[in-house]
Amino acid sequence: TAFSPDNDGKNDKFYVYASGIDEASFQLLMYDRWGELIFKANNILTGWDGKVKGEMSQVGTYAWLATFKDFLGNQKTQSGKVTLIR
């Protein structure tokens, strides 16, 4: 529920882990506390590094939304919150 993007090689990016999904349909969206979209990835292997427009984000809690299809073609949505710490 937290990550620390401080370039120490440990827990530097936030990833969504899943199994049994069609990776081609995956999308991760990250939002700040005001609901502004700050990050978007279409590859499950791409994690958020805590930056917005090239600058490190503030310590705080951010919302994430992942959408994807399972192997049967059913659309799924998962969401949650992650805390950026230093």
Side-chain angles (χ1 to χ4, degrees):
T1 60
F3 76 116
S4 58
D6 55 8
N7 293 319
D8 66 355
K10 299 176 189 170
N11 206 21
D12 287 329
K13 290 187 178 184
F14 171 73
Y15 294 95
V16 172
Y17 293 98
S19 61
I21 71 166
D22 172 10
E23 291 186 12
S25 68
F26 179 82
Q27 184 176 64
L28 173 64
L29 304 173
M30 300 293 304
Y31 297 92
D32 65 16
R33 64 181 170 190
W34 297 281
E36 181 180 347
L37 179 65
I38 57 172
F39 177 79
K40 179 180 176 180
N42 292 318
N43 184 329
I44 197 167
L45 301 176
T46 303
W48 180 45
D49 63 2
K51 293 181 181 175
V52 176
K53 298 178 185 174
E55 299 291 324
M56 185 54 65
S57 297
Q58 296 179 3
V59 169
T61 302
Y62 295 83
W64 60 269
L65 175 71
T67 59
F68 53 90
K69 290 183 181 178
D70 64 20
F71 283 131
L72 298 175
N74 300 312
Q75 186 69 36
K76 303 287 184 175
T77 302
Q78 296 288 321
S79 62
K81 296 183 190 278
V82 64
T83 302
L84 186 152
I85 59 175
R86 289 201 189 99

